[in-house]
Amino acid sequence: MAKSDNKTKPTPVSPTEFVAAVEHPTRRADGEKLLGWFEEVTGYTPRMWGPSLVGYGRYHYKYDSGREGDMLITGFSPRKANLVLYIMPGYRDMSDKLARLGKHKVGKSCLYINKLADIDMEVLREIVEDGFSYMKENYDTWPE
């Protein structure tokens, strides 16, 4: 089976410059806060992944199909519609934490919030730390 490249790869773009260029003032301010917050929580320096993902750390995955590659361990993207936070292992029984988080929606590995003021940052820390620890325990990971 031919292996396709992961389209989301690290880029040389500065995460600080990327966030500073976000047009929506609330998304930009929340992105600026998250830049340092994720660095504090993970201990890793941010790096851009593709054109719009600010990532922390890197892990290597390999699917049963043979496809493999590297991806960010956790991170965020200040998109037009909302902030997207990436919790890579997904939400393995995090219902108690999610119930305490505040206004949000979830996807498979994405947490969608309108603005940081809508959520409890301490609960978000619990969620990110849980996902980050899971990834480090179950995958080959390294700082990026």
Side-chain angles (χ1 to χ4, degrees):
M1 171 199 241
K3 294 180 184 170
S4 59
D5 279 344
N6 187 347
K7 294 177 185 172
T8 306
K9 296 180 180 183
T11 72
V13 174
S14 160
T16 302
E17 290 176 13
F18 165 72
V19 170
V22 171
E23 288 184 31
H24 191 287
T26 302
R27 300 273 184 281
R28 183 174 54 253
D30 285 351
E32 289 168 350
K33 181 175 181 176
L34 288 173
L35 276 171
W37 185 88
F38 267 99
E39 191 166 0
E40 176 189 320
V41 171
T42 66
Y44 289 174
T45 303
R47 175 130 190 217
M48 290 301 299
W49 285 75
S52 63
L53 303 179
V54 179
Y56 296 80
R58 179 190 293 228
Y59 77 98
H60 187 77
Y61 63 85
K62 184 171 184 176
Y63 298 139
D64 291 339
S65 66
R67 181 185 169 116
E68 63 183 288
D70 296 334
M71 189 59 171
L72 57 94
I73 298 173
T74 193
F76 71 95
S77 182
R79 302 193 184 243
K80 286 183 183 180
N82 46 40
L83 285 170
V84 182
L85 285 75
Y86 298 91
I87 314 297
M88 296 319 288
Y91 301 98
R92 314 154 331 279
D93 194 27
M94 287 194 193
S95 56
D96 64 323
K97 292 177 180 73
L98 292 170
R100 295 184 290 117
L101 180 62
K103 187 177 176 183
H104 71 279
K105 294 181 181 177
V106 294
K108 185 173 182 178
S109 293
C110 299
L111 179 64
Y112 301 95
I113 59 174
N114 190 36
K115 58 189 179 292
L116 293 180
D118 290 341
I119 62 165
D120 183 322
M121 292 298 291
E122 287 305 312
V123 176
L124 181 61
R125 176 182 293 270
E126 292 175 27
I127 292 168
V128 171
E129 286 175 343
D130 181 273
F132 193 73
S133 293
Y134 178 89
M135 295 305 290
K136 289 184 78 168
E137 291 169 9
N138 292 282
Y139 292 89
D140 290 332
T141 64
W142 57 96
E144 187 54 42

